[in-house]
Amino acid sequence: MSDKQILRDEARNRRRAFVAGLDPLAHRLAFKVLPSPLADRIGARDTIALYVAMDDEAPAQRLAHALIARGKTVALPRALDRLGSMEFCRWTPEDALVSGPFGTSHPAPGSQIVAPDAIIAPLLAFDLAMGRLGQGGGYYDRAFARHPDSLRIGIAWSVQQLAHVPMDPWDLPLDAVLTETSFIEGAQA
């Protein structure tokens, strides 16, 4: 088993234990409000990609109403294949979702494809150098590369912060990370 895979397993276990011990009210309220530093950082960016959380992931989709209230277009990813390719589709909380690979939920076929100006991505772990450890499928690494001008924001529970996340040459650092307790910014672009 690789070092990254061991780290992924440890991060999943730590996240699972944290969420299991979280007060139910605190969980329901987490990530429902768009914090001012994040609102400032996305500023004039029009299309913001979120994701629908699985299991104990930080629930990014809860930010949809706040973003729409600010005039933003919200998008969700749709996996195209099991090789790590995905596209982003316009979405509102009223739109139906369909089942995708790996237990994900996606916009229905025929949804309008959009190019995100900011991508809010799930992760297993992050560090203060804005390194991101994902699930290992490469979907977000490829999306970041396909949309190089998009702001890259991770969303996570605070327990997912590590001292160091190993980065491969193809890994792009995040610009910022939002947790239930803070907004952590990397170097301003």
Side-chain angles (χ1 to χ4, degrees), residues 16 18 20 35 38 53 61-62 75 146 148 177:
R16 187 177 304 116
F18 176 80
L38 175 56
Q61 74 275 12
R62 291 183 185 168
R146 263 189 44 222
V177 175

Side-chain angles (χ1 to χ4, degrees), residues 83-86 132 134-144 170:
L83 302 175
S85 299
M86 68 180 175
R132 173 187 175 272
Q135 295 285 352
Y139 284 87
Y140 279 91
D141 295 321
R142 287 177 181 85
F144 292 161
W170 55 85

Side-chain angles (χ1 to χ4, degrees), residues 44-85:
R45 296 172 188 265
D46 294 320
T47 302
I48 314 301
L50 300 175
Y51 64 89
V52 176
M54 293 176 26
D55 303 320
D56 47 22
E57 286 180 329
Q61 74 275 12
R62 291 183 185 168
L63 293 171
H65 289 290
L67 289 166
I68 291 167
R70 289 183 167 268
K72 305 296 183 189
T73 297
V74 173
L76 291 179
R78 179 170 53 213
L80 300 176
D81 53 42
R82 291 187 172 266
L83 302 175
S85 299

Side-chain angles (χ1 to χ4, degrees), residues 18-116:
F18 176 80
V19 172
L22 196 58
D23 177 80
L25 179 60
H27 190 288
R28 281 195 307 273
L29 294 176
F31 304 106
K32 283 199 161 195
V33 175
L34 189 66
S36 296
L38 175 56
D40 292 344
R41 193 76 191 256
I42 60 175
R45 296 172 188 265
D46 294 320
T47 302
I48 314 301
L50 300 175
Y51 64 89
V52 176
M54 293 176 26
D55 303 320
D56 47 22
E57 286 180 329
Q61 74 275 12
R62 291 183 185 168
L63 293 171
H65 289 290
L67 289 166
I68 291 167
R70 289 183 167 268
K72 305 296 183 189
T73 297
V74 173
L76 291 179
R78 179 170 53 213
L80 300 176
D81 53 42
R82 291 187 172 266
L83 302 175
S85 299
M86 68 180 175
E87 62 192 5
F88 293 93
C89 301
R90 185 182 183 118
W91 177 79
T92 68
E94 295 76 32
D95 295 341
L97 296 172
V98 298
S99 296
F102 312 111
T104 57
S105 297
H106 298 177
S111 299
Q112 179 187 1
I113 297 169
V114 295

Side-chain angles (χ1 to χ4, degrees), residues 1-10 12-13:
M1 188 178 296
S2 74
D3 289 345
K4 270 192 169 180
Q5 189 55 49
I6 292 168
L7 192 56
R8 283 186 181 97
D9 292 344
E10 290 171 357
R12 277 189 200 95
N13 290 336

